Amino acid sequence: MIETPRAAITAAKVAEVADFFSFGTNDLTQMAMGLSRDDAGRFLPDYVDQAKAAIFGTDPFQTLDVDGVGFLVKHAIENGRATKGDLKIGICGEHGGDPISVKFCHAAGMDYVSCSPYRVPIARLAASQAVIEDQLNNPGKGSKGSKSKSMAASALKSAARLKQKVKSSKPTKSKSRR
């Protein structure tokens, strides 16, 4: 688990003995930003409110802070893979179910995202969209890696199954009893 700024900064050394990197972005966000998620409820709404402090554009515990925490994540991915090219990399936590964060994960070259069960459909859809947008923006180059392609293919199949389930579970008109 890469959960501290130091682990992200020294990722090349960590990769020498790691089989994979899983970014614990909740803890990494807390440590990189010096914020306690438990205490943030008292001041974070003002920090996000554009009419008040406007320190953050979004809640950093909901959407990954790309400029700060994202910088650490990208650094760790680049340096970890420079040491071990086949290093499997992903995140776990609530950021794994946020569409903007999932798109960042794809762009950064992650292999997977993990999130709470109720956010899985959102994560799959966002992963599929990220791959499709990547292919549209970079025709002929393909996606950022075969693992991302397989993740997106799986997500697209799941989305199709989900669509079928939604279609098949539409309520039918029932005859009223008199």
Side-chain angles (χ1 to χ4, degrees):
M1 293 290 293
I2 306 291
E3 297 180 302
T4 66
R6 187 175 195 287
I9 291 167
T10 61
K13 190 138 184 89
V14 174
E16 292 174 3
V17 295
D19 293 326
F20 64 92
F21 281 0
S22 182
F23 290 93
T25 54
N26 295 333
D27 289 337
L28 187 57
T29 295
Q30 288 186 100
M31 296 189 86
M33 300 185 104
L35 299 172
S36 167
R37 192 166 60 165
D38 295 335
D39 299 330
R42 289 182 279 178
F43 58 84
L44 197 55
D46 288 340
Y47 282 20
V48 177
D49 189 334
Q50 298 306 302
K52 293 184 179 181
I55 295 170
F56 304 122
T58 60
D59 180 338
F61 295 110
Q62 296 297 316
T63 300
L64 191 73
D65 167 50
V66 174
D67 295 333
V69 178
F71 176 84
L72 291 170
V73 168
K74 283 189 219 175
H75 172 84
I77 291 171
E78 290 167 6
N79 287 277
R81 287 214 171 116
T83 299
K84 190 178 283 184
D86 63 344
L87 193 64
K88 189 170 180 116
I89 300 176
I91 67 167
C92 63
E94 290 308 302
H95 291 116
D98 172 66
I100 295 169
S101 302
V102 170
K103 288 179 182 182
F104 165 81
C105 293
H106 171 72
M110 288 191 195
D111 300 306
Y112 69 91
V113 297
S114 175
C115 60
S116 56
Y118 76 94
R119 297 190 85 178
V120 168
I122 294 166
R124 285 182 171 168
L125 178 61
S128 299
Q129 289 172 335
V131 171
I132 291 167
E133 287 170 13
D134 190 27
Q135 290 172 347
L136 290 173
N137 293 330
N138 302 300
K141 287 189 173 186
S143 186
K144 294 186 183 280
S146 60
K147 292 179 182 177
S148 291
K149 286 181 190 176
S150 66
M151 181 173 77
S154 173
L156 287 170
K157 287 177 187 173
S158 296
R161 284 194 303 270
L162 183 60
K163 186 177 176 184
Q164 279 298 100
K165 286 181 182 178
V166 170
K167 280 184 180 178
S168 65
S169 65
K170 285 185 178 176
T172 57
K173 290 184 180 179
S174 59
K175 296 179 182 179
S176 60
R177 295 183 191 178
R178 292 190 187 201

